[in-house]
Amino acid sequence: MTEALECQLLVIGGGSTGAGVAWDAALRGFQVILADRGDLATGTAGRFHGLLHSGGRYVVRDPAGARECARENVILRRVASAAIEDTGGLFVTTPLDDLDYADRFLAACPAAEVPVEEISPAEALRREPRLTPAVRRAFAVRDGSIDSWKLIWSCARGAEQLGARILPYHPVTAILRDGDRVTGARLHDLRSGDELDVRAECVINAAGAWSGRVAQMAGCEVAVRPGKGVMVAINHRLANCVVNRCHMTGDGDIVVPSHSVSVIGTTDTPVEDPDDIEATAEEVASMMAAGDVLLPGFSRSRALRVWSGARPLLPKTAAAVGDDREVSRSHAVIRHAQRDALGGLISIAGGKLTTFRLMAKDTVDAACAELGVEKSCTTAETPLPGSTGSNYYRLPDHQADFEKGRADNPMICECELVSQADLLEAARVHPKGQIDDLRRVLRVGMGPCQGGFCAFRIAGLLHGHGAYDRTEANATLRAFVQERWKGQRRVLWGQQLRQARLDTWIFQGVLDIEHLPT
Amino acid sequence: MPREVDGMSLLMETEGMGVRPSLDGCIKCTICESACPYAAVTERFPGPKTVGPQEERFRHGPLSADWSVDYCSGCGICSRVCPQDVRIAEINSRARAQLKEQRGIPLRDQLLARPDVMGRLGRPIRPLFNWAMGTPLVRFPVERVIGIHRKAAVPTVAPRTFQQWARRHPRRPAQDRVVYFHGCSTNYFEPRLGRMVVAVLEHQGLAVEIPQQGCCGLPLQSNGNFPAARTYATRLARQLRSAPSEVPVIASSTSCALMLKREAREILGVEDPALVDVSQRTYDIFEYLRDLHEQGRLKTDFVPVELTVAYHAPCQQQNQLIGKPALDVLALVPGLKLVELDRDCCGVGGTYGIKREKYEISMAVGAGLFSDIKHTAPDLVLCDSETCRWHIAKATGFPVIHPLELLHRAYGGH
Ligand SMILES: Cc1cc2nc3c(=O)[nH]c(=O)nc-3n(C[C@H](O)[C@H](O)[C@H](O)COP(=O)(O)OP(=O)(O)OC[C@H]3O[C@@H](n4cnc5c(N)ncnc54)[C@H](O)[C@@H]3O)c2cc1C
Ligand code: SF4
Ligand code: SF4
Ligand code: SF4
């Protein structure tokens, strides 16, 4: 059965870019539909490192990019504070790093508008006692930790409140054309199996590393090249601020505190297929070893999980093709009307999560030009739902919330302190949510036991509350356990191996999960 | 505010051996939760796995917010049973100290944290103090104002301190020397016990040195004042070094012995050389006597003691990981019928159980032990820890003494 919907802007891709475009466009009064092939934030934006860039990482090699980050950093702290932890960051010169680079780094910051303060090695060690005692120079910057799930969902919810429709689990299977105009797209509703045509005045291709494929459906080219980056999460925070090596660039040279874990990253390897990015054992080993340079003992800490993301890299030439409007060096908005003589289609490619708002602004500006309307962007002044401009989240806040309701609220996920009430509320807001979808809202199953103790509770509880029937409960439980297993496979040594054994006994021994009735 | 890691402790952390990194070992097996006697009786305490390795991941210096960790008594049972060597009780202890630092330590806890000060202040007004503490009319306002439960056992102050006695006690010259670490409770509340310890040790032919000594800092530590606790522990270690370095230090208070042996280093992170030295040669009195016996040097000229006694090994003693040496030694006494009370905790947890909001919890924890005692109906109950003795005596009405007192009697003393 084919249904039909209409809107002004159809946004393909529910990562940070697509959600940012939906929010920006909805604020400007457009009717928006946002579709993703999976849940929101399951592409690169949900598999990234978690850094709100201060700009420090780019000051020497890309001052323009650094300036963009620095400005967006200030804006996001204002409008997206609820998704940010104000951790601060350090750049440190270790014995392996060139001392001259530190001078160049410091000299380049002012021009890039990156606030920086040199502090003594002793002060750096006071702030972060586990930092290598061999630190030679240290610089404090305004790095932060940013939760992309919170960010993306608040963009989507904000857009929804302004009338937008959000369609997760709706992959685009075809771009609809009428001569030299794109008129919409055909979506496949994965949950019902139905086809759905969406007619739109303008289609925005915000499919990140997949945007080349979406463009292809319209017969055009967008030359993004996926670049694989690997990250490893460590069981508890080894540092409470972001720590970077002060050097040109390298693998595993930054550790970001993200909620209760420390995350090290990353690498950059060109890949053909953005869906084929599994981390190798060598990559994991190199991350663990690199961690020791910044935080001695890192490699002996318990690694929980490995994941990788596909960077939507934009070769320098791509932006220069045809009439592209080169907005910045790191991202590009492509009006296919100008480049390919195909109206009604705009692609946005490249960029970073930190600059998502700017990318969205540039994209919606282009859409306005395409549709011949003048509406100006207000995302720099309008706080996202839930953000007040100063309510940064802090690690123990969650603990404080939990503490309040502790007595009469059973704990469901022990590692991430998620209560039964939290779970039922999230299930109400995400009615068809799989356990993995709830994970991105609640962080269930993200801690040391990787779902070993919460997954079966969630399946059972939600089945009891009628959210899942028997078949659904068993299927989502199996899928979740499988998904968690995938992330752990590469770190099965020491404590995590012991954990995995215990989890296996629970799921295979006690629950016989592979033979649950369907 | 950064966490406290420095010097040696930093090395321990990076080697994965420190208190906080030990949380990495937790596989959620829940063994500790099943063993914690406090979580079993109160909803206010979520249990060792939760407040230990789980909540620790969410703590961030002064921002930490899980007040319920204050309901951990520090009994250490969880750390002992954890198959993964997670230092749960130690994690909790540090977290409590951090919370107290944020919130300020209530007057009551400051008082309880300084038995030496209480003893010193109480002595000049001893009759008044002892009368007041035994009088419900006074205990009600004390509970209201200070927060010490009106029914909680509090000790009575002795007329003369143990130190005053020791200064006049003639030193017996002998080749083998020991240093006696008596602790505050013996000094102010139970000097009798100290005199018996000296008598028993001298009976073995030992020269007993009793240096001037202060508090070990344990009550400060368990009430969350780490900086002061470190100062006390270090000062005490220096005082106990009055004798040359091979001389054993003998303690009759189990909790104080544990403090010197392990906790000052493992929880407070004290790395003072004096403390490191003393911690390695500190012995529980019965541990030392058992060693003597194993070397064939313990005097066994016992008179029969025709009594039924029930023995409770306090948790601080079990945390020394030395078994139950009092049982081993008392088994040598003819006529004695020894009943081992196989319970983990009496519920008092040092000063925990005398606090207004925790008294009921403490009584519930001890309920099993108390009913065992009533069923056994012994002539005497034995227990190595002073606070436990007071608590058990008050809760059961049975006389409770240090096992050393019984040994003293078996040697013919009165
Ligand atoms: C390893 C790594 C670490 C990074 N770390 C940081 C960092 O710390 N800080 C920072 O600022 N940036 C970081 N980045 C960059 C940043 O994550 C990305 O640039 C940004 O998240 C991209 O967001 P996006 O919305 O453009 O793409 P995506 O998040 O990939 O969104 C594209 C969406 O399109 C959907 N899609 C694809 N095909 C279809 C289809 N046919 N139909 C419907 N939907 C479709 C996908 O499911 C996906 O959700 C990192 C990148 C990588 C790879
Ligand atoms: S006993 Fe040890 S491993 Fe088991 S749950 Fe408790 S802390 Fe974790
Ligand atoms: S120290 Fe004792 S009271 Fe505290 S958690 Fe461990 S077992 Fe429970
Ligand atoms: S623990 Fe011992 S030395 Fe320490 S305070 Fe007690 S009685 Fe004093």
Side-chain angles (χ1 to χ4, degrees):
Chain A
M1 197 191 91
T2 307
E3 262 190 278
L5 285 176
E6 277 187 15
C7 65
Q8 285 175 294
L9 293 187
L10 169 64
V11 185
I12 303 172
S16 49
T17 312
V21 168
W23 165 239
D24 184 319
L27 276 176
R28 296 196 211 193
F30 288 109
Q31 285 171 285
V32 182
I33 290 180
L34 171 69
D36 197 288
R37 63 174 188 167
D39 196 13
L40 299 192
T42 48
T44 310
R47 313 181 61 81
F48 82 135
H49 200 165
L51 173 67
L52 174 67
H53 283 276
S54 60
R57 290 181 71 76
Y58 305 110
V59 279
V60 174
R61 75 189 134 104
D62 176 11
R67 188 175 313 116
E68 234 167 57
C69 286
R71 289 181 183 169
E72 287 302 308
N73 181 304
V74 173
I75 296 172
L76 293 190
R77 282 165 183 270
R78 201 162 59 219
V79 298
S81 48
I84 294 171
E85 183 179 351
D86 185 17
T87 58
L90 290 177
F91 277 78
V92 297
T93 308
T94 74
L96 300 187
D97 304 320
D98 186 2
L99 269 174
D100 291 343
Y101 182 86
D103 293 327
R104 288 164 63 201
F105 172 85
L106 194 58
C109 283
E113 297 170 26
V114 173
V116 65
E117 181 201 356
E118 175 150 22
I119 59 175
S120 68
E123 172 60 14
L125 284 165
R126 194 194 62 78
R127 292 186 195 179
E128 288 303 344
R130 285 212 46 180
L131 202 61
T132 172
V135 47
R136 297 195 287 178
R137 289 183 77 176
F139 306 94
V141 295
R142 299 200 74 202
D143 282 340
S145 172
I146 184 162
D147 180 332
S148 63
W149 297 329
K150 273 195 197 168
L151 178 75
I152 289 170
W153 275 105
S154 60
C155 287
R157 292 285 179 234
E160 238 175 3
Q161 283 162 16
L162 296 167
R165 279 196 66 177
I166 310 295
L167 301 174
Y169 295 103
H170 279 74
V172 169
T173 53
I175 298 289
L176 307 176
R177 283 179 68 153
D178 184 4
D180 58 3
R181 265 205 86 73
V182 165
T183 56
R186 173 157 299 168
L187 317 184
H188 177 67
D189 182 343
L190 289 178
R191 286 162 167 164
S192 68
D194 295 343
E195 299 293 323
L196 175 67
D197 281 354
V198 179
R199 307 252 155 225
E201 291 168 25
C202 182
V203 173
I204 312 260
N205 169 14
W210 296 265
S211 55
R213 296 192 181 173
V214 171
Q216 244 168 27
M217 294 182 200
C220 316
E221 198 203 355
V222 171
V224 286
R225 253 190 250 118
K228 173 172 77 163
V230 172
M231 287 141 291
V232 182
I234 298 296
N235 186 30
H236 66 271
R237 282 193 180 188
L238 302 177
N240 282 312
C241 79
V242 177
V243 288
N244 299 270
R245 273 176 64 185
C246 191
H247 69 170
M248 201 55 159
T249 176
D251 289 353
D253 63 350
I254 164 167
V255 180
V256 181
S258 175
H259 293 275
S260 53
V261 300
S262 276
V263 182
I264 188 162
T266 167
T267 54
D268 197 357
T269 323
V271 289
E272 282 302 310
D273 180 354
D275 289 314
D276 185 12
I277 49 170
E278 212 200 324
T280 64
E282 293 72 34
E283 283 166 331
V284 174
S286 84
M287 285 298 107
M288 297 306 288
D292 283 335
V293 177
L294 278 168
L295 300 162
F298 185 95
S299 61
R300 272 181 296 254
S301 302
R302 174 168 170 182
L304 293 185
R305 187 174 169 76
V306 177
W307 70 95
S308 33
R311 273 190 198 79
L313 291 178
L314 206 55
K316 289 225 158 46
T317 49
V321 180
D323 283 332
D324 290 345
R325 210 178 98 194
E326 188 176 358
V327 178
S328 100
R329 289 231 250 135
S330 47
H331 67 261
V333 177
I334 300 162
R335 280 181 65 186
H336 295 275
Q338 294 175 345
R339 197 185 69 177
D340 306 309
L342 180 64
L345 181 66
I346 292 170
S347 292
I348 161 78
K352 297 179 218 359
L353 187 125
T354 303
T355 55
F356 90 101
R357 190 207 63 86
L358 181 64
M359 294 165 71
K361 171 183 179 293
D362 292 341
T363 309
V364 183
D365 283 349
C368 287
E370 182 85 10
L371 301 179
V373 292
E374 265 187 46
K375 292 177 176 179
S376 51
C377 173
T378 56
T379 52
E381 299 83 46
T382 317
L384 281 160
S387 289
T388 62
S390 57
N391 60 338
Y392 301 124
Y393 70 83
R394 299 174 307 179
L395 181 62
D397 288 352
H398 185 57
Q399 192 176 40
D401 287 348
F402 192 74
E403 182 79 9
K404 273 182 231 143
R406 201 189 285 277
D408 32 40
N409 205 347
M411 177 140 61
I412 301 299
C413 170
E414 305 178 7
C415 308
E416 296 293 327
L417 309 179
V418 180
S419 69
Q420 176 171 323
D422 296 341
L423 176 69
L424 295 178
E425 173 59 15
R428 193 184 62 75
V429 177
H430 300 260
K432 291 177 192 160
Q434 300 293 297
I435 302 180
D436 200 49
D437 299 339
L438 299 174
R439 173 178 70 91
R440 282 183 292 277
V441 180
L442 297 170
R443 305 186 64 78
V444 289
M446 302 276 293
C449 79
Q450 290 287 302
F453 283 72
C454 66
F456 60 85
R457 291 181 186 151
I458 297 171
L461 198 73
L462 293 185
H463 174 251
H465 278 77
Y468 302 140
D469 64 23
R470 186 185 71 184
T471 313
E472 288 165 346
N474 290 342
T476 191
L477 176 59
R478 251 200 300 262
F480 188 66
V481 170
Q482 198 54 39
E483 158 65 26
R484 295 283 91 192
W485 171 246
K486 253 171 59 189
Q488 286 180 80
R489 246 183 335 196
R490 292 275 181 235
V491 290
L492 289 183
W493 64 79
Q495 306 294 17
Q496 201 58 20
L497 179 58
R498 289 203 173 95
Q499 183 73 61
R501 285 301 293 153
L502 182 56
D503 291 358
T504 306
W505 286 328
I506 294 174
F507 288 115
Q508 297 199 323
V510 180
L511 295 176
D512 194 14
I513 191 173
E514 272 148 48
H515 302 101
L516 289 176
T518 47
Chain B
M1 239 280 302
R3 290 174 300 109
E4 299 197 37
V5 279
D6 50 311
M8 189 62 194
S9 352
L10 175 64
L11 190 68
M12 301 260 290
E13 295 234 346
T14 54
E15 294 297 320
M17 295 184 300
V19 168
R20 180 175 153 99
S22 78
L23 75 86
D24 277 354
C26 180
I27 53 169
K28 309 209 166 280
C29 68
T30 315
I31 289 172
C32 56
E33 303 262 309
S34 327
C36 172
Y38 291 78
V41 300
T42 177
E43 294 264 298
R44 295 200 193 173
F45 185 53
K49 171 170 75 166
T50 309
V51 301
Q54 285 173 185
E55 296 269 356
E56 179 64 16
R57 298 175 66 241
F58 290 87
R59 294 197 179 105
H60 184 176
L63 303 175
S64 307
D66 59 322
W67 307 113
S68 48
V69 70
D70 192 42
Y71 281 87
C72 160
S73 76
C75 69
I77 290 169
C78 47
S79 295
R80 222 163 58 223
V81 298
C82 173
Q84 286 283 91
D85 288 337
V86 179
R87 313 272 295 278
I88 314 162
E90 292 84 347
I91 291 174
N92 296 353
S93 184
R94 286 190 178 186
R96 266 199 310 277
Q98 174 69 60
L99 288 174
K100 293 270 169 82
E101 190 176 307
Q102 274 159 255
R103 225 190 201 182
I105 303 177
L107 170 68
R108 173 200 62 197
D109 295 9
Q110 306 227 27
L111 275 176
L112 294 179
R114 289 181 175 80
D116 52 337
V117 173
M118 277 219 291
R120 266 205 305 276
L121 294 180
R123 228 166 40 77
I125 51 157
R126 191 178 78 87
L128 180 67
F129 181 88
N130 291 347
W131 168 81
M133 285 301 155
T135 307
L137 250 131
V138 178
R139 292 297 297 273
F140 273 104
V142 166
E143 172 175 315
R144 287 275 309 274
V145 178
I146 303 188
I148 293 177
H149 197 280
R150 61 183 183 278
K151 290 191 193 151
V154 286
T156 50
V157 179
R160 233 156 53 108
T161 67
F162 176 68
Q163 280 282 337
Q164 285 173 327
W165 175 86
R167 276 198 289 277
R168 292 203 205 120
H169 179 66
R171 261 225 250 145
R172 145 204 293 247
Q175 203 182 357
D176 289 333
R177 298 156 70 186
V178 292
V179 169
Y180 177 33
F181 163 40
H182 51 70
C184 311
S185 142
T186 301
N187 196 32
Y188 296 105
F189 308 123
E190 298 181 330
R192 243 166 63 87
L193 172 63
R195 297 199 292 271
M196 291 186 221
V197 170
V198 174
V200 167
L201 289 171
E202 287 179 345
H203 186 63
Q204 313 302 326
L206 298 162
V208 183
E209 310 209 350
I210 309 167
Q212 182 78 40
Q213 53 192 274
C215 173
C216 64
L218 176 65
L220 284 161
Q221 170 194 300
S222 55
N223 282 291
N225 189 345
F226 276 23
R230 288 192 186 103
T231 312
Y232 274 50
T234 312
R235 192 182 56 204
L236 172 66
R238 293 189 183 143
Q239 290 167 330
L240 295 177
R241 284 229 288 187
S242 62
S245 64
E246 63 280 8
V247 175
V249 175
I250 315 288
S252 56
S253 166
T254 47
S255 50
C256 312
L258 183 66
M259 178 71 172
L260 274 189
K261 281 179 165 187
R262 290 177 55 189
E263 296 197 340
R265 296 178 70 185
E266 296 178 12
I267 296 180
L268 298 175
V270 177
E271 287 304 335
D272 187 271
L275 182 87
V276 174
D277 166 33
V278 169
S279 77
Q280 287 162 353
R281 54 187 167 102
T282 297
Y283 298 84
D284 173 84
I285 173 84
F286 274 98
E287 178 188 20
Y288 184 75
L289 295 173
R290 183 180 61 185
D291 281 0
L292 283 186
H293 179 61
E294 281 167 4
Q295 297 157 16
R297 294 165 54 205
L298 185 79
K299 292 265 168 51
T300 50
D301 50 346
F302 297 117
V303 297
V305 180
E306 304 289 345
L307 290 175
T308 299
V309 296
Y311 173 73
H312 168 63
C315 26
Q316 303 98 329
Q317 195 261 9
Q318 294 183 53
N319 290 342
Q320 294 180 39
L321 309 178
I322 53 175
K324 296 182 178 177
L327 283 181
D328 301 334
V329 173
L330 291 177
L332 306 170
V333 176
L336 193 64
K337 185 161 175 268
L338 258 177
V339 180
E340 179 181 355
L341 295 164
D342 195 13
R343 296 280 179 174
D344 284 327
C345 190
C346 74
V348 79
T351 56
Y352 181 99
I354 72 175
K355 298 175 182 173
R356 178 177 46 202
E357 71 282 11
K358 296 178 180 120
Y359 175 78
E360 299 296 340
I361 299 173
S362 152
M363 292 303 283
V365 169
L369 177 71
F370 306 150
S371 92
D372 286 358
I373 291 174
K374 285 176 185 153
H375 276 101
T376 314
D379 298 307
L380 287 170
V381 179
L382 310 181
C383 177
D384 321 55
S385 153
E386 51 277 353
T387 49
C388 308
R389 286 197 292 277
W390 303 331
H391 184 63
I392 299 169
K394 175 102 188 184
T396 63
F398 279 83
V400 191
I401 59 169
H402 194 293
L404 193 282
E405 277 195 49
L406 193 82
L407 192 71
H408 181 255
R409 193 184 298 189
Y411 279 125
H414 344 264

